[in-house]
Amino acid sequence: MTDTLANHYRSIIQELGEDPDREGLVDTPVRAAKAMQFLTRGYTQSLEEIINGAVFTSDTDEMVLVKDIELYSMCEHHLLPFIGKCHIAYMPSGKVLGLSKFARIVDMFARRMQIQENLTRQIADAVQQVTGAAGVAVVIEARHLCMMMRGVEKQNSSMTSSVMLGAFRDKSSTRQEFLTLVNNR
């Protein structure tokens, strides 16, 4: 796959009016192909693979919050990055998830071409599926290079998206506790 992608990048470089054989660009098509494969590696991962059995029995039924998980994703509309952080909370219902698995879930879905709104939903649904939690909440705050580098070129804009499932959707006090904890810096 790397060779095919590299050939496409070579063609793109040529179509932009550059010489893909000049010194600084000779290896660029292969480097760009490898970078794109890395940036979209989420397509080759599965939830079962990244969880790897790290779901444990627990009597805990109070909110668990993991804040400030870095994320790097690719806007499906312009193939430009969006960069931000993800906050995930859940209300365990007999099972808890290993801490590093939250970051792995975020990475798996973030490393695909998509929009932030869908990424937020995918993460929430995955945590719900794996844990069977009484509720799941996910908030993503991100800056989109498609908004910053092209088009309107607004450098200080950011986007926040959220998904609330179960207790976080049904109980305003649970939702408010989550939002207070996320905003408590």
Side-chain angles (χ1 to χ4, degrees):
M1 180 191 335
T2 303
D3 290 340
T4 302
L5 284 173
N7 288 333
H8 289 298
Y9 277 112
R10 181 178 171 77
S11 294
I12 290 169
I13 291 167
Q14 246 172 339
E15 288 297 318
L16 292 173
E18 264 291 355
D19 175 9
D21 294 319
R22 79 170 167 83
E23 182 182 10
L25 292 174
V26 170
D27 296 325
T28 298
V30 171
R31 286 193 302 263
K34 288 179 180 178
M36 185 58 78
Q37 288 172 310
F38 179 82
L39 295 173
T40 60
R41 73 183 183 273
Y43 290 118
T44 64
Q45 297 175 313
S46 72
L47 191 56
E48 296 76 26
E49 172 191 339
I50 63 166
I51 298 303
N52 195 25
V55 180
F56 308 100
T57 302
S58 175
D59 293 333
T60 300
D61 63 358
E62 297 292 327
M63 186 186 307
V64 176
L65 171 64
V66 183
K67 289 173 42 171
D68 298 326
I69 302 168
E70 296 172 359
L71 69 86
Y72 308 91
S73 195
M74 186 79 68
C75 163
E76 68 184 27
H77 298 142
H78 303 101
L79 297 185
L80 289 172
F82 61 94
I83 302 162
K85 54 190 167 184
C86 179
H87 315 289
I88 305 171
Y90 72 118
M91 304 287 286
S93 183
K95 295 180 183 176
V96 294
L97 183 60
L99 181 59
S100 71
K101 302 308 179 183
F102 291 96
R104 292 185 191 283
I105 289 171
V106 170
D107 284 348
M108 181 183 77
F109 289 111
R111 295 304 183 152
R112 299 175 183 185
M113 294 179 283
Q114 63 185 314
I115 59 174
Q116 181 176 327
E117 297 91 335
N118 291 348
L119 174 60
T120 309
R121 169 60 70 175
Q122 291 166 346
I123 294 167
D125 288 344
V127 172
Q128 177 66 49
Q129 177 186 332
V130 169
T131 64
V136 175
V138 176
V139 169
I140 294 178
E141 304 167 89
R143 295 174 55 118
H144 293 247
L145 269 66
C146 59
M147 180 96 163
M148 298 168 69
M149 292 180 67
R150 54 160 307 284
V152 296
E153 297 184 66
K154 300 301 176 207
Q155 303 307 303
N156 296 307
S157 63
S158 66
M159 179 177 171
T160 301
S161 55
S162 70
V163 171
M164 307 288 166
L165 305 175
F168 291 95
R169 179 181 278 284
D170 301 336
K171 292 180 66 180
S172 61
S173 60
T174 302
R175 183 173 50 255
Q176 188 56 50
E177 179 184 357
F178 166 67
L179 295 171
T180 298
L181 290 170
V182 164
N183 292 315
N184 184 15
R185 303 271 178 215

